[in-house]
Amino acid sequence: LGSKMIKKTNEIGIAIETKHSASFPREYKIEIDGQIVNVIAMQWVLQQLVKEGQTVKIKGSIREQNGTEFISLEDYDDIIIASKNN
């Protein structure tokens, strides 16, 4: 990915923008603790899994590239999914 892996993470946030979740790579903008974080996925099955405004659970890797952190869904068990309380 051309980026530095920082750590594995589990997060809960709000889907702010999902319009690029069907393109490649899949990109979701998620608000986590008041910050907007890009969540990037390369797998086909991770397209359009959540809608804007939904509370989501994320399991992935925090990575850094050119001073910007993002969450990468790169392992077979990484996921972004709508929380059951939606």
Side-chain angles (χ1 to χ4, degrees), residues 28-77:
Y28 298 87
K29 291 190 184 295
I30 308 296
E31 182 178 338
I32 300 171
D33 296 329
Q35 294 185 343
I36 304 298
V37 177
N38 286 332
V39 177
I40 308 295
M42 302 299 276
Q43 298 93 329
W44 176 254
V45 297
L46 296 178
Q47 71 171 336
Q48 298 178 311
L49 291 179
V50 300
K51 297 178 184 174
E52 292 175 7
Q54 286 184 313
T55 300
V56 298
K57 294 180 182 180
I58 303 162
K59 180 180 180 220
S61 298
I62 297 177
R63 290 187 161 273
E64 182 271 328
Q65 184 175 35
N66 299 326
T68 302
E69 289 187 1
F70 62 96
I71 297 176
S72 173
L73 307 181
E74 57 196 61
D75 290 338
Y76 73 94
D77 60 343

Side-chain angles (χ1 to χ4, degrees), residues 8-19:
K8 294 294 285 178
T9 189
N10 288 292
E11 302 287 347
I12 295 177
I14 305 283
I16 302 299
E17 185 178 302
T18 62
K19 68 182 178 183

